Amino acid sequence: MSGEELELPVSRAVNERLHAAIPGGAHTYAKGDDQYPQDLAPVISHGRGARVWDVDGNEYVEYGSGLRSVSLGHAHPRVLEAVRRELDRGSNFVRPSVVEAEAAERFLATVPTAEMVKFAKNGSDATTAAVRLARAVTGRARVALCADHPFFSVDDWFIGTTPMPAGIPSETADLTVTFPYGDLAAVEALFDRYPDEIACLILEPATQTEPPPGYLAGLRDLAHRHGSVLVFDEMITGFRWSEAGAQGLYGVTPDLSTFGKALGNGFAVSALAGRRELMEWGGLRHDGDRVFLLSTTHGAETHALAAAMAVQATYVEEGVTARLHALGERLAAGVRDAAAAMGVSEHVVVRGRASNLVFATLDARGVPSQEYRTLFLRRLLTGGVLAPSFVVSSALEEADVDRTVDVVGQACAVYRKALDAGDPTPWLGGRPVRPVFRRRV
């Protein structure tokens, strides 16, 4: 594919079917067709490794696979073998399977900073369970979350803080307060403002920037000094930063942590992990009031737990995290060189850890622009690159990365033309892409 040759008539028709049957046309807002240029939202037929094919027959090199969940590549043989083996033995029973013990032991061996773990199906289950547990343990209602991190849960305690709070009682939203990343003084001020009220601090331990020296340890000290619980959301950092997550890399152990995404390589599995003293509140071996921690019919389906065990074994034995970083470093360097060659290095900006790269599209004033993002995405798609981010999977080959850089170079050439013209509109092909969180449709 090249130039303006990409046409998606079948995808457009299927998108209409999706909107007719599914609110928003997708089961995740970040997958919506409003996130892509008009009439260029491919509907996927299948994927293998780092490539996907749409229902129109077009092939793409894919980044950010499964919203960062498919980090080993689609249809990974070792993971599929483990899943198939369990499917033949049944996947859900009236009592726990021995696989649940095996999966828990494997997880705790991989993430040795945790002492107990409980599995669920999605990240929201795990983060909300962490918040509930912190509230139960502390007897406090207020939650403090990092305002610089984009998503924690579909549940009211978080969504009430976003531009889409419709349907959420203000009394619930008012119980959540926020703090900026990297600023210990701001967190101290929050504790001073709400003395003995904050049940927990919840944040991603790292995102596009590394934590300032002493920041994570300082947060832990602050939380404990004020009788609060520290929760790390490791949905993204888990495995991509190290096999043991960001807590393993930075050497700071939270009270509770949540994992998902890469844990199942596309299969539905998440985890709440943490200190035994806290986790046992959700168990049967204590004398206090019971805490309804996590109780999900499908949370321990054996095939998903088998997938998680295969993923962890693959990461540890094959050095997957190091490969993700190497691929990401090659991609970041190539994109930066391509942008510089076209004179747009101050406008197409790659950010983040090498294993978790994103890109910013800035206008002539250096302001983030949805219009320029639309232009950029359109050129990537027509070049056979599906990249809402530049988050790599280990299935990528160096040739895939080099091809991507070539396509980025072509996109940057158009970007330069739009900047010189002072208006990207002629290159958009329709309405611009939209942010996920917005008040109005």
Side-chain angles (χ1 to χ4, degrees), residues 305-321:
L305 296 183
M309 287 190 283
V311 166
Q312 292 167 85
T314 302
Y315 262 83
V316 172
E317 294 170 16
E318 298 183 12
V320 171
T321 302

Side-chain angles (χ1 to χ4, degrees), residues 64-210:
S65 313
L67 304 181
R68 295 178 171 86
S69 67
V70 186
S71 60
L72 300 179
H74 299 291
H76 189 274
R78 186 170 184 174
V79 176
L80 291 186
E81 179 185 358
V83 168
R84 291 191 183 106
R85 186 166 57 245
E86 287 305 323
L87 287 176
D88 286 338
R89 294 159 53 84
S91 64
N92 208 336
F93 313 103
V94 76
R95 278 281 294 148
S97 164
V98 66
V99 174
E100 295 177 46
E102 294 168 349
E105 290 163 355
R106 161 64 79 169
F107 181 92
L108 296 174
T110 306
V111 186
T113 43
E115 296 174 334
M116 297 188 82
V117 63
K118 195 161 189 180
F119 295 111
K121 276 300 180 195
N122 61 66
S124 295
D125 289 344
T127 54
T128 293
V131 167
R132 183 185 302 121
L133 181 56
R135 283 171 162 166
V137 169
T138 63
R140 302 171 179 179
R142 203 172 295 279
V143 175
L145 61 83
C146 184
D148 296 320
H149 298 161
F151 190 82
F152 288 99
S153 174
V154 300
D155 295 300
D156 289 1
W157 64 270
F158 171 69
I159 297 298
T161 70
T162 74
M164 296 172 64
I168 298 171
S170 59
E171 297 85 352
T172 298
D174 290 345
L175 289 173
T176 300
V177 295
T178 63
F179 59 90
Y181 186 76
D183 187 344
L184 288 175
V187 178
E188 181 76 78
L190 208 57
F191 279 118
D192 290 341
R193 182 178 179 184
Y194 301 103
D196 302 321
E197 293 184 34
I198 297 175
C200 65
L201 306 177
I202 181 168
L203 74 158
E204 295 181 60
T207 52
Q208 295 179 24
T209 59
E210 290 291 290

Side-chain angles (χ1 to χ4, degrees), residues 170-350:
S170 59
E171 297 85 352
T172 298
D174 290 345
L175 289 173
T176 300
V177 295
T178 63
F179 59 90
Y181 186 76
D183 187 344
L184 288 175
V187 178
E188 181 76 78
L190 208 57
F191 279 118
D192 290 341
R193 182 178 179 184
Y194 301 103
D196 302 321
E197 293 184 34
I198 297 175
C200 65
L201 306 177
I202 181 168
L203 74 158
E204 295 181 60
T207 52
Q208 295 179 24
T209 59
E210 290 291 290
Y215 176 65
L216 297 178
L219 275 182
R220 183 180 58 193
D221 293 343
L222 272 175
H224 291 177
R225 190 190 321 152
H226 290 277
S228 188
V229 174
L230 178 63
V231 183
F232 282 175
D233 179 338
E234 297 242 34
M235 294 296 159
I236 292 173
T237 54
F239 302 99
R240 286 191 179 275
W241 263 240
S242 82
E243 292 87 356
Q247 59 194 278
L249 178 66
Y250 299 127
V252 176
T253 303
D255 299 304
L256 300 171
S257 55
T258 60
F259 289 76
K261 292 193 182 291
L263 180 59
N265 200 55
F267 287 93
V269 58
S270 63
L272 168 65
R275 291 167 44 204
R276 182 177 301 276
E277 175 188 354
L278 301 186
M279 295 289 287
E280 279 285 20
W281 279 62
L284 300 177
R285 297 186 175 183
H286 65 88
D287 297 327
D289 291 342
R290 294 191 67 191
V291 175
F292 197 89
L293 185 56
L294 274 169
S295 184
T296 54
T297 298
H298 301 287
E301 286 177 323
T302 55
H303 68 278
L305 296 183
M309 287 190 283
V311 166
Q312 292 167 85
T314 302
Y315 262 83
V316 172
E317 294 170 16
E318 298 183 12
V320 171
T321 302
R323 175 168 174 77
L324 293 175
H325 280 87
L327 288 165
E329 287 167 358
R330 185 184 186 97
L331 177 61
V335 169
R336 287 170 181 144
D337 287 346
M342 294 298 161
V344 296
S345 58
E346 295 182 358
H347 305 277
V348 176
V349 182
V350 180

